[in-house]
């Protein structure tokens, strides 16, 4: 199924994708996955990314950070990078999701997951339920790294890049299709959900 736009988009019409890094613990593996994913979108003619790191978000006692609110609002689409913790996704990610509402609505989300044996798949299934409540469409295809620590070398490069690169291409094609379709739809008729 070829989902690529019929023609390259004008440069000012690139899909704005907020890439959200879901883990924030000391010594986390997340930045390796983030760097890999951003290497897949770098140079993509139709996609512009903005990395939002949950490590930079504020504790619950602090009022909602305006900067992150504006960045989520500006985004046409989201990619969540999530590890799996105890069969679900990390608490800082839930915190970031719950602090915002209309910023998410009527936009698509895609998932890049990683973990031990599960590759983060259970975290992704939980996230699909959460995002449905926020009127977010989750795209079907994911990238998942099982036993992630063993798949990358010391420089953060994948030892066998082809399968993950093919999965990332499918994910981005689907995200782009939904992202452009929903952006046009929101412009025509504001989402009332
Ligand atoms: C608290 C905790 C719970 C975990 N639970 C699971 C799990 O249920 N399933 C799994 O496959 N991996 C699990 N792992 C392994 C992590 O998914 C893996 O170490 C991942 O790299 C963690 O991401 P991070 O380093 O970016 O925080 C767990 C790790 C931690 C720290």
């Amino acid at each position: 199924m070829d989902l690529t736009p019929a023609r390259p988009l004008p440069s000012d019409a690139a899909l704005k994708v907020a890439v959200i890094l879901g883990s924030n613990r000391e010594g986390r593996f997340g930045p390796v996955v983030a760097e890999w994913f951003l290497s897949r979108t770098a140079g993509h003619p139709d996609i512009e990314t903005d990395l939002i790191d949950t490590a930079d978000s504020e504790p619950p006692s602090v009022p909602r950070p305006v900067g992150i609110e504006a960045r989520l609002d500006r985004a046409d689409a989201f990619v969540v990078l999530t590890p799996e913790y105890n069969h679900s996704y990390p608490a800082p990610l839930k915190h970031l999701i719950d602090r915002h509402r209309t910023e998410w609505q009527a936009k698509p989300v895609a998932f890049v997951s990683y973990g031990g044996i599960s590759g983060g798949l259970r975290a992704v299934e939980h996230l699909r339920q959460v995002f449905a409540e926020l009127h977010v469409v989750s795209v079907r295809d994911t990238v998942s790294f099982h036993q992630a620590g063993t798949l990358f070398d010391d420089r953060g490069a994948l030892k066998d890049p082809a399968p993950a690169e093919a999965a990332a291409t499918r994910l981005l094609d689907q995200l782009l299709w939904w992202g452009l379709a929903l952006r046009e739809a929101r412009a025509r008729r504001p989402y009332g959900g």
Side-chain angles (χ1 to χ4, degrees):
M1 186 167 42
D2 184 9
L3 296 172
T4 46
R7 54 188 160 60
L9 298 169
S11 59
D12 60 349
L15 193 77
K16 295 183 181 59
V17 178
V19 178
I20 298 164
L21 177 45
S23 77
N24 73 353
R25 72 187 178 96
E26 181 96 32
R28 63 192 173 153
F29 190 70
V32 173
V33 176
E35 217 164 288
W36 172 81
F37 183 73
L38 293 175
S39 78
R40 304 316 307 154
T41 56
H44 192 301
D46 299 327
I47 288 178
E48 181 186 304
T49 54
D50 175 21
L51 181 66
I52 296 178
D53 189 341
T54 54
D56 299 333
S57 61
E58 305 290 345
S61 53
V62 173
R64 237 158 52 124
V66 174
I68 290 189
E69 182 182 324
R71 288 161 71 189
L72 292 174
D73 200 42
R74 197 181 307 132
D76 299 309
F78 309 104
V79 175
V80 172
L81 313 178
T82 185
E84 182 165 307
Y85 291 170
N86 299 318
H87 291 202
S88 192
Y89 56 91
L93 181 53
K94 184 72 160 73
H95 177 57
L96 176 81
I97 294 169
D98 292 345
R99 285 198 121 182
H100 302 277
R101 197 170 65 88
T102 54
E103 295 88 336
W104 303 113
Q105 287 183 356
K107 299 175 184 177
V109 64
F111 303 105
V112 175
S113 68
Y114 59 100
I117 190 102
S118 77
L121 294 175
R122 291 173 290 217
V124 169
E125 293 311 311
H126 283 180
L127 282 164
R128 288 188 197 278
Q129 294 178 16
V130 171
F131 276 115
E133 178 61 14
L134 289 160
H135 305 253
V136 177
V137 178
S138 67
V139 310
R140 177 184 182 275
D141 283 55
T142 64
V143 180
S144 59
F145 294 111
H146 301 250
Q147 307 294 8
T150 65
L151 302 180
F152 290 82
D153 66 20
D154 293 344
R155 290 173 299 114
L158 275 172
K159 294 173 189 165
D160 177 18
E165 288 179 5
T169 300
R170 285 193 297 274
L171 176 154
L172 289 172
D173 286 351
Q174 292 169 20
L175 190 73
L176 198 55
W177 191 93
W178 279 105
L180 295 176
L182 292 177
R183 184 169 72 185
E184 281 175 30
R186 288 194 310 278
R188 242 182 251 149
R189 198 147 48 107
Y191 185 71

